[in-house]
Amino acid sequence: MTLTPVTTDHAVEDDPRRYEHLSTIRLEDPDAVARAAKARRRHPGLKAGRQNFIVAADHPARGALAVGSDPVAMADRRQLLDRLQIALANPAVDGILASPDIMDDLLLLGALEGKLVFGSMNRGGLAGLVNEFDDRFTGHTAAALEALGADGGKMLTRICLGDPDTVATLEATAKAIDSLAERKLIAMVEPFLSVRENGRVRNDLSTNAVIKSIGIAEGLGSTSAYTWMKLPVVAEMERVMAATTMPTVLLGGDPDGTQDEVFATWGAALSLPGVQGLTVGRTLLYPADGDVAGAVAAAASLLHHTTEASE
C-alpha cells in the first residue's frame, strides 16, 4: 500500500480495499445506515457568538467534479472519504453538508459524532444540463432529514431572469423551506443571480447581484424563522450583509486566487455582523499543496468565538 502524505499526522491512502466494508454493509445490512443515524451523538447546539465550520461535500451529486484545472478531482469516492475524515477529525469542524450517498458513508464510518448535519436537497440542476435551471429536488427530503436526526437542509437557488425554469425552482424552494420549518429544521438557502453564456451557467458575483439574490431568497416560504443564507464572499461584503438579518454562512466555491488571498477575504467577511461561519468544500478538501489537515486548520483559525459563547 502506498500513501500520499497530507500532513505528518494524516494521510490520503491508496489501498483500493480500504472502504470495501461499506459495500459489504450496503449489500448485507442496509438498515445499518438508519441505526448509525439513530445512535449518533448530536451536536451540542448552536450559540450566538460562536461561529460554525461546516465542510461541504455535495458537489458530485450535481455532476460537478472539477477542482481548479482538474475536471475529475472529486470523482474518486475513496479519496473523497479520506479527505472528509481528515477534515472532520479536526475538533474545530462543526459539521457536514452532504448528499445522501456521502452522508450515509460517513454515518457508517462513525465520522459524524457530535457534528452538525445538513443534507443537500436539490441536485437535479446538473452541471451543463440543457435545463440546468430546472433544479429539481432529487436529494434529501425534509422528512428524511428529520429521520436522520439532521439539523437542516441546503438548497441551491439559482435565479435566471431569462429562463422560465426559474419560477419552478423558486416554488420548490419555498415548499422545501416550509417543510423544514414544520420540523424545526434549518433551511440553508444558497441564492445566486445566474445567466447562461455560451451554453454554460455563470453566477453573477457582483455585489449588487448578490444583494438582489438575497432579497429574493429570504422572501421564499411562508416563514423565515428557520432560514439561513449561504453566500459567496464578494466585494463590499458590508453591503451584502446589510441586506439580511438571517444567520449567514460563507461559501468557498472554486476560487481563482491563492490560498492566502482566499483566506484573507474570508477572514474579513467573518468579522461582519450576522456571519455565523463557513461552509466550504473543494477549497479545503483539495488544496493545491495536498495538505488537507493544514488547510482545514488554517480556515478554522479564522473563526470568531466570543468569551460568552465558549463558557
Side-chain angles (χ1 to χ4, degrees), residues 10-132:
H10 300 87
V12 173
E13 298 188 18
D14 196 28
D15 177 4
R17 294 187 177 276
R18 63 190 181 279
Y19 293 114
E20 188 175 20
H21 65 293
L22 295 180
S23 300
T24 301
I25 293 171
R26 288 174 174 277
L27 176 68
E28 297 180 348
D29 187 18
D31 287 343
V33 173
R35 292 198 305 273
K38 185 176 181 180
R40 182 183 69 88
R41 175 170 50 88
R42 298 284 298 271
H43 185 271
L46 298 161
K47 291 184 179 180
R50 180 173 182 83
Q51 292 182 325
N52 297 113
F53 187 177
I54 299 164
V55 176
D58 60 343
H59 312 83
R62 205 174 62 79
L65 301 174
V67 179
S69 61
D70 185 347
V72 292
M74 300 187 75
D76 189 317
R77 182 53 54 90
R78 294 168 300 194
Q79 284 255 340
L80 177 56
L81 290 175
D82 289 342
R83 293 166 185 271
L84 283 169
Q85 289 192 91
I86 291 169
L88 290 164
N90 187 320
V93 174
D94 294 286
I96 188 74
L97 162 60
S99 52
D101 53 323
I102 295 174
M103 186 84 75
D104 293 348
D105 279 342
L106 293 173
L107 285 168
L108 291 173
L109 290 167
L112 301 181
E113 291 299 304
K115 301 297 186 182
L116 292 168
V117 170
F118 289 88
S120 190
M121 302 182 75
N122 61 325
R123 299 282 83 188
L126 303 180
L129 190 69
V130 64
N131 57 335
E132 186 171 342

Side-chain angles (χ1 to χ4, degrees), residues 159 191 209-219 229 231 240-241 243-244:
I159 303 158
V210 174
I211 290 171
K212 186 172 183 176
S213 75
I214 294 170
I216 295 168
E218 61 189 357
M229 292 287 111
L231 301 176
V240 170
M241 289 308 303
T244 184

